[in-house]
Amino acid sequence: MTTLVPHRAAKHSAEQIEAALVVLALESGNVRRARKKLAEMDIFDKVPPATTITRWPETYRERYAEIRSEVAPRIKARMADTHDDLVTRLTSLENQVLDELEKEVSDLSGKDKAALLRNTAIAAAVHTDKAQMLRGEATVIVKRELPEIFRALAAKGVVIEGVAEEVTPPRPLPPSSHTDTPSESPTPSQSES
């Protein structure tokens, strides 16, 4: 971790600058939102002007890069949650529209109904996809055939050698006329009599 050392002419402590860089990273570089958060945190007598906060990521480039990589998972998680919330709200809106349409189906034109449902469904799908992507979940399922997989492996220097043999599955056993459960199996004395 790089230690932040303020320039000699700096009016703020290393801790204040560090906090500002963290907040700026959490706000995805948005200086206006960062200044608002910093004002709420009450760590400055007076929140530095936007021009100063805008310069700090460049002035303390190495430390800001480290901070951004440290907070990136938190930002992604927050964004994924935001997309999940939007999916929930859009799905709820879609259900409300469906409920209203069922009651007032004659008041809307067919084009209006179709457009509204299509648009809310698309929006919900987009936000679902974004939330999955931000969480590292699969958003696409790709099916590949075996020859394609072998070619891709060979291109990477992996060679699989061997001979394929057809294996004949064993014949199924004929159905039994009785079940061989322990309670139904004859005891040795019963089978002798």
Side-chain angles (χ1 to χ4, degrees):
M1 179 175 110
T2 304
T3 303
L4 191 143
V5 180
H7 294 282
R8 280 181 280 183
K11 297 176 184 175
H12 306 286
S13 70
E15 292 79 17
Q16 289 173 317
I17 297 170
E18 177 94 8
L21 291 173
V22 169
V23 170
L24 187 61
L26 285 170
E27 293 301 327
S28 301
N30 185 306
V31 176
R32 183 186 53 78
R33 287 196 317 250
R35 289 187 78 236
K36 184 177 178 185
K37 293 273 186 192
L38 289 167
E40 293 168 4
M41 292 170 65
D42 198 31
I43 58 172
F44 292 95
D45 292 333
K46 181 179 176 190
V47 177
T51 54
T52 301
I53 294 175
T54 301
R55 274 195 323 266
W56 281 347
E58 185 61 33
T59 304
Y60 307 102
R61 182 182 309 168
E62 192 174 326
R63 182 62 189 129
Y64 186 62
E66 289 174 358
I67 290 169
R68 286 183 58 201
S69 67
E70 291 167 10
V71 300
R74 289 171 50 191
I75 294 169
K76 282 185 175 181
R78 188 172 66 199
M79 290 172 64
D81 289 343
T82 299
H83 285 292
D84 276 341
D85 291 344
L86 288 169
V87 168
T88 302
R89 290 177 63 197
L90 288 166
T91 303
S92 175
L93 176 63
E94 192 174 26
N95 285 326
Q96 289 174 359
V97 169
L98 281 170
D99 290 344
E100 289 177 23
L101 287 176
E102 287 174 350
K103 295 174 188 170
E104 302 174 19
V105 74
S106 59
D107 293 346
L108 291 174
S109 72
K111 287 181 182 180
D112 289 342
K113 294 174 203 170
L116 185 56
L117 286 174
R118 180 188 65 243
N119 291 342
T120 56
I122 290 169
V126 166
H127 288 294
T128 298
D129 185 63
K130 294 298 179 196
Q132 288 173 321
M133 181 185 66
L134 289 164
R135 286 196 174 86
E137 299 170 359
T139 57
V140 176
I141 298 173
V142 178
K143 182 181 176 189
R144 295 211 163 86
E145 298 297 325
L146 204 51
E148 182 183 354
I149 294 169
F150 285 147
R151 280 192 300 276
L153 288 171
K156 294 181 180 194
V158 177
V159 179
I160 300 173
E161 293 182 7
V163 178
E165 291 181 26
E166 186 172 337
V167 178
T168 307
R171 292 186 316 177
L173 295 172
S176 175
S177 59
H178 68 281
T179 57
D180 290 334
T181 58
S183 61
E184 295 177 359
S185 300
T187 61
S189 62
Q190 291 174 332
S191 58
E192 294 174 359
S193 49

